[in-house]
Amino acid sequence: FFFLMIRRPPRSTQSRSSAASDVYKRQFVPGGESVSESAATKSWLSEVVPELTNDSGNDICFKTEGALCVILLSQDKPEKEHLDTLKQLHESFQRKIDRGFKYNFMWLDATAESKFAQIFEVEKYPQVLILNPGKRKRFLIHEGDITSEALADTFEKIAGGNSLPELSIRKN
């Protein structure tokens, strides 16, 4: 937490103008963030399945501790059916964070964030990708339909020790 304290005005100015005393206030800014970086301006922090963008990436995926990112890659905004599937999985897996796994669900517009999408060499859309954003970046492209049952099976394989292959980023 970070406190910003501004010196109070002399007593003589406090009684003359209420506006002068309003200027000299203590401001509390959690984490030392500016007001423009607060949770109120970051709509993705309150969404169940937010969009993964350059702005939201660190908050919802890349700098989250101990979580796997479940990313629905699509061209443009995904279909409601697929978003509902991720919301349903979020509800069911949020309650049972067993075996130390936590899942953050999100979607990515591959046309808007084309550089990020190209890293994974996805050829068909929509596609689900599970990313471990830890020190050794690892990912797995879900093979199968985008249904709750099929994705839950993939999560079980990961939890059962089926490791994610390491992400190798080629510099072109």
Side-chain angles (χ1 to χ4, degrees), residues 8 16-17 30 42 79 85 92 118 123 144 165-166 168-169:
R8 301 188 107 196
R16 282 190 236 149
S17 168
K42 296 180 176 182
E79 296 176 20
T85 298
S92 62
Q118 287 173 354
E123 296 175 4
E166 187 137 359
S168 61
I169 300 175

Side-chain angles (χ1 to χ4, degrees), residues 75-129:
Q75 293 177 320
D76 204 21
K77 185 165 176 144
E79 296 176 20
K80 183 181 181 322
E81 173 188 347
H82 293 141
L83 287 175
D84 289 344
T85 298
L86 292 184
K87 288 176 184 176
Q88 181 183 2
L89 286 166
H90 170 79
E91 292 298 318
S92 62
F93 279 90
Q94 183 181 17
R95 282 182 257 128
K96 55 177 186 178
I97 303 177
D98 55 355
R99 302 182 204 165
F101 286 101
K102 179 183 176 205
Y103 297 96
N104 292 339
F105 296 89
M106 61 209 69
W107 64 275
L108 178 109
D109 181 354
T111 54
E113 302 289 341
S114 59
K115 288 183 180 179
F116 182 79
Q118 287 173 354
I119 293 171
F120 303 103
E121 300 175 351
V122 173
E123 296 175 4
K124 69 174 189 130
Y125 295 95
Q127 188 65 263
V128 174
L129 166 79

Side-chain angles (χ1 to χ4, degrees), residues 16-166:
R16 282 190 236 149
S17 168
S18 63
S21 63
D22 287 345
V23 173
Y24 297 95
K25 291 185 176 179
R26 294 182 187 187
Q27 294 182 1
F28 175 72
V29 183
E33 298 175 336
S34 70
V35 175
S36 64
E37 295 175 346
S38 72
T41 60
K42 296 180 176 182
S43 62
W44 54 83
L45 293 176
S46 61
E47 297 173 15
V48 176
V49 182
E51 180 179 8
L52 178 62
T53 64
N54 193 32
D55 292 335
S56 67
N58 287 339
D59 294 328
I60 63 174
C61 181
F62 306 125
K63 293 195 176 178
T64 56
E65 294 287 323
L68 296 178
C69 303
V70 180
I71 307 167
L72 173 61
L73 297 166
S74 66
Q75 293 177 320
D76 204 21
K77 185 165 176 144
E79 296 176 20
K80 183 181 181 322
E81 173 188 347
H82 293 141
L83 287 175
D84 289 344
T85 298
L86 292 184
K87 288 176 184 176
Q88 181 183 2
L89 286 166
H90 170 79
E91 292 298 318
S92 62
F93 279 90
Q94 183 181 17
R95 282 182 257 128
K96 55 177 186 178
I97 303 177
D98 55 355
R99 302 182 204 165
F101 286 101
K102 179 183 176 205
Y103 297 96
N104 292 339
F105 296 89
M106 61 209 69
W107 64 275
L108 178 109
D109 181 354
T111 54
E113 302 289 341
S114 59
K115 288 183 180 179
F116 182 79
Q118 287 173 354
I119 293 171
F120 303 103
E121 300 175 351
V122 173
E123 296 175 4
K124 69 174 189 130
Y125 295 95
Q127 188 65 263
V128 174
L129 166 79
I130 295 107
L131 173 69
N132 181 350
K135 289 181 183 176
R136 293 174 48 200
K137 310 283 186 251
R138 297 175 175 273
F139 77 99
L140 176 74
I141 295 176
H142 168 71
E143 296 175 3
D145 296 332
I146 301 174
T147 63
S148 297
E149 297 80 22
L151 286 165
D153 287 345
T154 299
F155 297 161
E156 287 299 320
K157 288 177 187 174
I158 293 169
N162 189 2
S163 64
L164 302 173
E166 187 137 359

